[in-house]
Amino acid sequence: MKKKINMQFILVSALAVVITTIISTGLFYNILKNQVYDDIETYTHVIEALDKTFWDSEENKKRLERDGLRITKIRQDGGVEYDSSADQQEMENHRDRPEIKKALETGKGTAVRWSATSSLHTLYYAERLENGDILRVGKDSKNIFQILKNMIVMIIVLTLFILLFCGILSHYLVRRLLSPIEKLAVNPDESSRGCIYEEIVPFVQKIREQHMNILNHARMRQEFTANVSHELKTPLTAISGYAELIENGMADEKDTKRFAGEIHRSSSRLLTLINDILKLSELDDGEQEFEFERVNLYEAAQRCLDMMELQAAKQEVTLHLQGEPCVIWANRELLDELLYNLCSNSVQYNNRGGSVTVTAAPAAKGAVLSVRDTGIGIPKEHQERIFERFYRVDKSRSKQRGGTGLGLAIVKHITAQHHGEIMLESEPGKGTEIKILFCN
């Protein structure tokens, strides 16, 4: 990165030198050209005041030639009456020359022409005299390429010096510019103790948040893996133990029947646990897309209670449905899963002779689902963590009732998938109510 920035600095410097040289040379040449025109105009006025015999003297012609001056007098018809450096009789008509045409029209005219013979530019100034003739004075001048040629050594030396200076300066500036960022890369907490650019403070904060999220996620995954291993180990150990007793003939007919029942219960719990883990993995998959449709929440709650009747009867729990039909935008399968987990928890952790009341009703921004039971309740200190994976208020009692510790975690994830809001109210010995607000 440093090398790239340094090269860009040097390239920009080189480009700046080239552009500056071109512009400066162009400006210099224009200034020189204008100065030459001013001088030629002055020469013209002086020459105009002199007698023609003065022009014709050989000594003055040689002097004019040494000074790079050329005097030409042109008649109104364009014919050349006099030229200090050529035989006027052999010269062509000058009426179409740009400076002559301009002088005939406005009184003054200028032009620049390049001579292939002398490799010089000749700057011409023409002025109309009182009798209508044109007096033209030309001055030889080096062109811009010759000027650059004379200055090329100085330009190269200056360019190399500027590039060297810019290279050293850019190296120093880049090191100073990137120093806080490099320190930050080594130690993200460095910004709290040292100098840091104000512009990258939000970026640093975002990196910290992501860093903490990654650490938390890694910790949660580690805990989840440990919990899964532990939860799977219990039913598998039971299944393996009972199966071994039966296999070795250490169980009579009565024990075999009892062991088979324990194996069946452990297998069912294992399957339930695996299904819940798979469901959580599916919900955790950020790339998983669920199809949403318009679903009647009241009817979905009715189907869930119908399915729960047998389980509720075993627990001697009464089921009630309240509310009215209301439609939400949801995934039908996930909504059924959410309802089942809420109702199943309310039945499992209820008291004999208790009740579960499910309410589905329209709300200001969508619909609200409420599942209220008359069960054992949740102590205040546990309510914040009740939606965590494998978190149980009473672990021994939860396992006895067949809970996996993942039901409410699944509820939380499904609610998040539907951009809903979940609320919990509970009091030990009086029961629990979980409300979910679905926003359409």
Side-chain angles (χ1 to χ4, degrees):
M1 180 177 174
K2 286 184 178 180
K3 186 177 180 181
K4 187 176 181 180
I5 295 176
N6 280 323
M7 287 302 299
Q8 288 177 345
F9 266 123
I10 293 172
L11 288 174
V12 169
S13 302
L15 184 62
V17 169
V18 172
I19 293 174
T20 302
T21 301
I22 293 172
I23 293 175
S24 299
T25 304
L27 290 173
F28 172 73
Y29 184 73
N30 279 331
I31 293 171
L32 177 64
K33 186 174 69 174
N34 291 333
Q35 181 63 48
V36 172
Y37 275 135
D38 290 341
D39 292 342
I40 295 175
E41 185 176 1
T42 303
Y43 298 156
T44 303
H45 295 160
V46 172
I47 293 169
E48 185 180 349
L50 297 174
D51 188 80
K52 184 175 180 297
T53 56
F54 178 81
W55 304 350
D56 285 335
S57 78
E58 291 298 325
E59 183 179 350
N60 286 331
K61 283 185 177 181
K62 290 179 181 180
R63 188 179 298 166
L64 290 171
E65 186 176 352
R66 283 197 305 271
D67 293 339
L69 289 173
R70 180 181 180 183
I71 300 171
T72 309
K73 189 175 182 182
I74 299 112
R75 294 186 296 272
Q76 295 183 46
D77 61 0
V80 178
E81 183 179 328
Y82 172 80
D83 191 283
S84 63
S85 61
D87 186 355
Q88 60 268 20
Q89 294 180 356
E90 296 179 0
M91 296 177 69
E92 61 184 11
N93 191 288
H94 278 39
R95 187 175 180 84
D96 292 332
R97 300 289 172 92
E99 69 276 13
I100 305 302
K101 290 176 69 176
K102 192 70 175 176
L104 289 171
E105 293 174 2
T106 63
K108 294 180 181 181
T110 60
V112 180
R113 280 192 290 280
W114 182 71
S115 171
T117 305
S118 61
S119 296
L120 295 173
H121 274 115
T122 302
L123 287 78
Y124 292 103
Y125 175 82
E127 187 172 306
R128 188 178 60 206
L129 303 177
E130 292 182 0
N131 62 0
D133 291 345
I134 302 296
L135 178 62
R136 186 187 72 177
V137 178
K139 176 79 168 81
D140 292 335
S141 176
K142 294 180 180 180
N143 60 34
I144 191 168
F145 299 107
Q146 289 175 312
I147 294 172
L148 284 175
K149 184 178 178 182
N150 295 335
M151 297 173 61
I152 193 69
V153 175
M154 183 180 67
I155 291 172
I156 291 174
V157 171
L158 182 61
T159 301
L160 291 175
F161 172 77
I162 292 174
L163 291 178
L164 179 62
F165 175 75
C166 290
I168 296 172
L169 183 63
S170 68
H171 180 71
Y172 169 75
L173 291 176
V174 168
R175 284 185 61 186
R176 187 172 180 181
L177 179 70
L178 297 181
S179 177
I181 300 175
E182 289 176 341
K183 291 179 181 178
L184 190 64
V186 175
N187 184 4
D189 296 327
E190 184 72 21
S191 59
S192 61
R193 300 192 298 271
C195 176
I196 190 170
Y197 302 120
E198 180 181 350
E199 292 80 5
I200 65 172
V201 169
F203 176 70
V204 173
Q205 291 175 344
K206 191 67 177 178
I207 290 178
R208 281 181 182 167
E209 290 176 5
Q210 291 178 347
H211 181 65
M212 292 303 298
N213 288 338
I214 290 171
L215 291 177
N216 290 334
H217 188 65
R219 179 181 57 81
M220 289 174 62
R221 287 180 66 88
Q222 187 177 11
E223 291 179 357
F224 181 70
T225 303
N227 287 327
V228 167
S229 300
H230 177 73
E231 294 293 335
L232 291 175
K233 185 178 179 180
T234 303
L236 285 173
T237 301
I239 292 170
S240 177
Y242 289 128
E244 186 178 2
L245 290 173
I246 296 172
E247 182 184 23
N248 293 331
M250 300 175 65
D252 57 23
E253 185 177 348
K254 183 179 179 182
D255 287 334
T256 300
K257 186 175 181 181
R258 181 169 62 86
F259 291 166
E262 292 295 335
I263 291 173
H264 181 261
R265 279 191 292 273
S266 295
S267 300
S268 298
R269 185 170 184 275
L270 188 60
L271 286 172
T272 303
L273 184 62
I274 291 171
N275 286 333
D276 285 349
I277 292 171
L278 291 174
K279 178 58 67 175
L280 272 176
S281 298
E282 182 183 6
L283 292 169
D284 278 339
D285 186 1
E287 297 182 359
Q288 177 72 29
E289 294 184 1
F290 298 98
E291 293 184 2
F292 282 67
E293 57 183 307
R294 295 176 66 83
V295 181
N296 191 312
L297 182 60
Y298 185 87
E299 292 179 358
Q302 181 66 68
R303 289 195 304 271
C304 179
L305 292 183
D306 292 343
M307 185 174 59
M308 293 293 301
E309 281 186 358
L310 183 59
Q311 183 180 345
K314 290 181 180 179
Q315 298 289 115
E316 299 179 7
V317 173
T318 307
L319 302 177
H320 303 282
L321 177 62
Q322 296 179 351
E324 59 184 282
C326 50
V327 176
I328 62 171
W329 189 251
N331 177 274
R332 189 179 297 274
E333 181 183 344
L334 292 182
L335 184 62
D336 289 341
E337 184 80 21
L338 178 143
L339 283 162
Y340 174 80
N341 279 286
L342 287 176
C343 293
S344 179
N345 268 13
S346 294
V347 171
Q348 286 179 7
Y349 299 101
N350 215 318
N351 298 312
R352 295 284 177 175
S355 65
V356 174
T357 303
V358 179
T359 303
K365 296 182 180 179
V368 63
L369 172 68
S370 167
V371 180
R372 186 177 71 255
D373 64 56
T374 58
I376 59 177
I378 303 169
K380 193 73 175 177
E381 63 270 20
H382 295 284
Q383 291 182 13
E384 290 185 1
R385 301 190 60 190
I386 198 67
F387 292 97
E388 294 180 10
R389 301 172 184 186
F390 295 111
Y391 188 82
R392 296 184 179 92
V393 177
D394 187 341
K395 294 184 179 180
S396 60
R397 187 173 183 180
S398 175
K399 288 184 178 180
Q400 289 174 1
R401 301 196 178 205
T404 63
L406 295 175
L408 290 181
I410 292 174
V411 169
K412 179 183 177 182
H413 277 68
I414 294 175
T415 303
Q417 286 285 344
H418 290 77
H419 306 289
E421 182 181 354
I422 190 167
M423 294 160 282
L424 170 70
E425 292 181 8
S426 185
E427 187 175 345
K430 293 187 177 180
T432 301
E433 181 181 14
I434 295 178
K435 287 184 180 180
I436 299 176
L437 176 62
F438 294 95
C439 299
N440 290 332

